[in-house]
Structures are given as structure tokens and as C-alpha cells.
Amino acid sequence: MKKKNIYVTKPSLPDLKTFTVYLKKIWDNKIVTNNGPFHRKFEDSLCKYLDVPFVSLLSNGTIGLILALRALDIKKEVITTPYSFIATSNSLIWNNIKPVFVDVCPNTFNLDPKKIKAAITPNTTAIMPVHVYGNPCDVDEIDLIAKKNNLKVIYDASHAFGVECHCGSILKHGDLSILSFHATKTFNTFEGGAIISKNKEVKEKIDKLKNFGIINETVVEEFGINGKMSEFNAALGLLQLKQIDNDIKKRKKIDIYYRNKLNSVVGITCFSYTNMKKGNYSYFPILVEDNYGLTRDQLYYKLRKNGIYARRYFFPLITDFKIYKSKSSFNIAKKISNKVICLPIYPELKIKSIDLIIKIIKNKF
Ligand code: T4K
């Protein structure tokens, strides 16, 4: 029998029977989108679950980043990280904003506050940090820099659903935080996303912007766009909320299992979370060091040859893509990017599969 491939992730889905009950309701009332009953209920439930004041549901995380910048009227230059998924900086380009990239910290893999300070110019209007792998940024320091320099902070919290730092939900920091509910994320609604805001006026502006800027039949107040979440995604989201704690528990077990088995492997460093009170274990990044015996790519392709589709998130750096090609060098981000492999992690992943992955990593030939 042909062995099944193992991918970096597999979306966790609720029992199909429970989803069909919700689908039947959608079929019966014929409201499939535009702030329907599931949408309203999911927004309320998310506010409670995440312990945040306002949630605006969206069709995906990328539109969230684009709309957040728009809602706060961000212009000119924004400081951001080269160590992220391309959507982070693309959202700036879509708003005609110049991304100013600065290097990351070697221990957090997130924006280095010292380097943020050094990159501020009279044109800087905001900072867009990313909680990479759900690992909290240095939020206190970033909030302080922003306050001192009158800058807005928009966190790309795509990886950080449910994450808590020393003072509770990570999503309470900055002016806005953006979540992704993509199939590959810890919490998924197939596709989807949300903006977390702190005050009613900003939420109302975001809600206007995601619905073409429409106020009513005869009034359009903003150059909005369509960023709405459908009833199908919202209904799924409500079901996912029921199982997310259990999913995170299973992920945590896998994280601990990998760590225990890989800590003794010379040349492999497991990424350590910093300043995290509650994690979501969305990724399991390892660094393949020079003394491992194989290069990062040799290990990556060896895993593939064995049907293990781990991923090099985030290689190449955003600044190494031709469309960005920056003259500056980001030595720390570059080093990490050249060493990183994210191993498969998802609730359904079997111990047998993890043991196979560990065996391949331990056998360096
Ligand atoms: N900011 C950050 C920091 C992000 O990481 C992302 C997205 C965003 C913003 C934007 O959020 P969204 O607009 O997407 O909501 C994936 C995801 O497409 C992307 O959402 C994610 N970050 C990024 C880190 O990873 P790919 O190109 O690696 O995905 P793909 O299709 O290769 O999937 C990876 C593996 O997952 C597959 O090999 C198999 C498995 N998979 C995937 C899908 C889509 C499934 O089992 N089922 C599925 O339906 O980008």
C-alpha cells in the first residue's frame, strides 16, 4: 500500500453532521452573506472567546491588513519585518505605502525594537509588526516607541489566534490586530479573517470599508471594497470555536513530544517561545545549524523524498523576492530564514508519523 504524504498542516474540521445542521438553516432562510445571523453570532462569540472589545469579520487576513491601514489613514512609510508571509508587506504596497524593513531579534524572530527606533524618519506613520509563529512581539517596547513618536501600530496577528502574553490577550496591543482564519491556521473558517479594534468608531469605519463604503441605499461614504465574510464561513467558525481549545491541547502535546525527542539532536535547535503565557502551537519551527551534518535544504529534500512536506516558512525573506529586492541586509532574519524548517503539526497528526519525522531527522545520512 502506498504511504500517505504528511503535510505541514491539515485543517481541523468539525463533524460534518453538525455543519449540515447549520447549512440547512442557511438553506431555509436564504441569507448567505451581508451580515446575516451566523455572522452576527460569530462576531459576538469571538469577542467573548478572545476577550477583545470589537471584532470585524472579513473574507481573509490579507484584506484585513489592507483595510486596517486604510481605516487608520496610514500613509507614506511603515516600518515592518522582512521575516513574514508576503501578505504583510503587500498590504502596504496596495495602499501606496513604502515598506521600511528592519531586522528581527535573534531570539523572538520578531521586529527588533531598537532597530525600529533607528529607522524612524519624519515620513514614518506606523509600525506593522508580526507575531511570527504566534510568538508575542515585544509589545510593551513597541507600544512605548509608538507613543513617543506618535505612530500607529497595526499588528499582523495572523498566527496569533488565542495567544496570551504577560498581560492577557496579545490582540489587545497596538491600535489594531489582524487575524487570519485560513485553512492552514490553528483556527480556520476555510478562508477568513478579522480585525480586532479597541473603539466603536474604528470598528464602524472598518465595517463600512469592507462593505463598499455603503451607509444605506442612497449614501456611500468611503471608497470601500468587498471584504465580507459569508454565512458559510461564519457558521463554520461558530462550530470551530467549540473545538479550538481541544485542538490547541493536541497541538501542545505534539510540540512537547517533538521537543523532548529533538532536544538531544546535535545541530537541531527547536524554536523557543518568549514571553508567552498561552500559545496556540500553530507551527513547529526548527533551525538546522551548521554542525548538524546536512544543510537545511538537504534535510528539507530528504524529508520530501520520504513523503514529509515540511515547509521553509519564511524562506526566502520578503526582501529577497525580486519585486521587493532591498539593498539593505537583514543579517539576523537572513540567518534564520536560511536555517528554518517548520515541521508538520496539526491536531490529527499521529505519534507514528511524528516518530517517522524524528527518525529521518536523527539519521543524518
Ligand atoms: N500575514 C501572515 C503572517 C500570514 O502568515 C498570512 C498567511 C497572512 C498574513 C495572510 O492571511 P490570509 O489572507 O491567507 O488569511 C499558506 C497560506 O495560504 C497562508 O494563509 C499563510 N499565511 C501562509 C503562511 O501559508 P502556502 O502557500 O504555504 O499554503 P499551501 O496551500 O501550500 O498549504 C500548506 C499545506 O497545508 C499544504 O501542503 C497542505 C495543507 N493544506 C492546505 C490547504 C490550503 C490542506 O491540508 N488543506 C488546505 O485546504 O501559504
Side-chain angles (χ1 to χ4, degrees), residues 3 45 73 79-80 97 101 105 116 125-126 132 135 148 158 187 219 223 252 276 297 311 329 346 349:
K3 262 206 221 143
S45 303
D73 203 21
I79 295 173
T80 192
I97 294 165
F101 295 100
C105 286
I116 296 177
T125 56
V132 173
N135 187 44
K148 264 194 187 157
S158 293
F187 180 89
V219 184
F223 295 108
K252 186 174 179 181
M276 195 172 74
D297 285 350
R311 292 295 286 268
S329 53
Y346 50 88
L349 188 63

Side-chain angles (χ1 to χ4, degrees), residues 7 9 11 61-62 84-85 156 158-159 180 182 184-185 311 313:
Y7 296 97
T9 188
T62 307
S84 183
F85 188 58
D156 181 340
S158 293
H159 302 175
S180 164
H182 183 259
T184 54
K185 299 291 185 282
R311 292 295 286 268
Y313 298 132

Side-chain angles (χ1 to χ4, degrees), residues 8-16 18-19 181-191 236-237 239-251 280 345-349:
V8 68
T9 188
K10 197 189 247 188
S12 179
L13 297 174
D15 184 344
L16 185 57
T18 59
F19 193 43
F181 305 150
H182 183 259
T184 54
K185 299 291 185 282
T186 296
F187 180 89
N188 88 86
T189 58
F190 299 155
E191 287 272 5
L236 179 67
L239 292 173
Q240 298 287 48
L241 271 183
K242 294 184 187 178
Q243 64 180 42
I244 183 67
D245 288 339
N246 200 26
D247 282 353
I248 292 177
K249 255 190 222 152
K250 288 183 185 164
R251 285 174 173 275
N280 68 14
I345 185 165
Y346 50 88
E348 246 185 66
L349 188 63

